Amino acid sequence: DTAVSQTPKYLVTQMGNDKSIKCEQNLGHDTMYWYKQDSKKFLKIMFSYNNKELIINETVPNRFSPKSPDKAHLNLHINSLELGDSAVYFCASSLGLAFYEQYFGPGTRLTVT
Amino acid sequence: GENVEQHPSTLSVQEGDSAVIKCTYSDSASNYFPWYKQELGKRPQLIIDIRSNVGEKKDQRIAVTLNKTAKHFSLHITETQPEDSAVYFCAATPNRDDKIIFGKGTRLHILP
């Protein structure tokens, strides 16, 4: 009965490859997010979707493309991976935008070699 | 846009002592201030939050205070225990429809 789940947990890949990370929440929330946490532990929002609609798109390279097939899922596709993309990526969900508790997934540790 | 500054970046306290982490924000319209705890290798989890119509909130050993005039808020942990060792993030959000902005985190070490 995991609230927010992500797959895979670990992802090791070479520069130039394309990869996807999947996220699912079973909390019935309307809003989902992707965050990037770098090696210094800085937690930065990348995207936010509300009812499958893109609400927030931070200054993220267009190699990153989120897709929300339905309210319960938000996937992240990354093209042409670079060394600087190595980080932990967290998916999260909340009842609404910003003003509500965010429930984070377990994270996906992406290592680009 | 909103900017959240968090201090200190690292804090070591003796077990049983108190720990205080401070944050300042720039947008006076911010009205929701959550604190998240992230244990090593785990996901961030909400531990306490405060809204702008309240000056202080307590939950057992944890308390948060908010000074809207000075635009700062603080997390207070009393009688610290080993399981309090983690990274703590403060955050602020300007309004209901905007994104949440996180501080850069404080790594808290509880010394035996």
Side-chain angles (χ1 to χ4, degrees), chain A residues 56-95:
Chain A
I56 294 168
N57 182 351
E58 287 297 285
T59 49
V60 177
N62 57 15
R63 298 182 295 103
F64 291 78
S65 52
K67 286 209 171 34
S68 182
D70 55 58
K71 267 177 38 170
H73 296 85
L74 180 62
N75 303 323
L76 183 66
H77 188 75
I78 316 170
N79 289 328
S80 304
L81 278 155
E82 300 178 356
L83 291 176
D85 297 332
S86 295
V88 179
Y89 292 84
F90 286 100
C91 175
S93 74
S94 65
L95 269 175

Side-chain angles (χ1 to χ4, degrees), chain B residues 33-104:
Chain B
F33 307 92
W35 286 87
Y36 285 79
K37 175 184 180 182
Q38 186 178 22
E39 296 177 7
L40 188 61
K42 302 279 182 69
R43 71 192 79 191
Q45 290 187 289
L46 182 75
I47 54 171
I48 195 167
D49 57 13
I50 192 167
R51 297 180 194 270
S52 59
N53 57 345
V54 174
E56 184 176 4
K57 185 176 178 180
K58 282 185 183 177
D59 183 3
Q60 299 183 336
R61 295 186 298 109
I62 293 172
V64 57
T65 57
L66 171 64
N67 183 328
K68 286 216 73 181
T69 305
K71 291 191 281 188
H72 67 68
F73 57 112
S74 301
L75 178 72
H76 303 253
I77 306 174
T78 58
E79 299 171 19
T80 52
Q81 299 169 5
E83 55 264 36
D84 295 330
S85 292
V87 177
Y88 292 80
F89 294 95
C90 64
T93 182
N95 61 58
R96 178 171 201 103
D97 295 323
D98 208 335
K99 59 180 178 280
I100 193 168
I101 305 296
F102 284 90
K104 291 187 175 176

Side-chain angles (χ1 to χ4, degrees), chain A residues 15-104:
Chain A
M15 283 175 57
N17 284 349
D18 303 339
K19 290 293 178 186
S20 291
I21 307 171
K22 294 187 175 182
C23 178
E24 177 181 2
Q25 53 97 2
N26 63 6
L27 297 167
H29 287 165
D30 287 339
T31 309
M32 295 185 73
Y33 311 81
W34 277 110
Y35 286 89
K36 179 180 180 181
Q37 186 171 47
D38 62 22
S39 57
K40 293 183 179 176
K41 298 296 184 186
F42 299 157
L43 197 58
K44 193 153 190 295
I45 192 168
M46 300 172 68
F47 302 103
S48 168
Y49 270 74
N50 192 50
N51 278 318
K52 301 194 301 173
E53 183 183 341
L54 181 65
I55 300 297
I56 294 168
N57 182 351
E58 287 297 285
T59 49
V60 177
N62 57 15
R63 298 182 295 103
F64 291 78
S65 52
K67 286 209 171 34
S68 182
D70 55 58
K71 267 177 38 170
H73 296 85
L74 180 62
N75 303 323
L76 183 66
H77 188 75
I78 316 170
N79 289 328
S80 304
L81 278 155
E82 300 178 356
L83 291 176
D85 297 332
S86 295
V88 179
Y89 292 84
F90 286 100
C91 175
S93 74
S94 65
L95 269 175
L97 282 168
F99 210 65
Y100 299 92
E101 177 178 358
Q102 308 222 342
Y103 292 79
F104 285 83

Side-chain angles (χ1 to χ4, degrees), chain B residues 2-21:
Chain B
E2 176 65 282
N3 184 44
V4 177
E5 298 285 338
Q6 183 171 348
H7 300 281
S9 56
T10 306
L11 178 61
S12 297
V13 301
Q14 212 69 38
E15 183 178 347
D17 288 350
S18 296
V20 180
I21 302 170

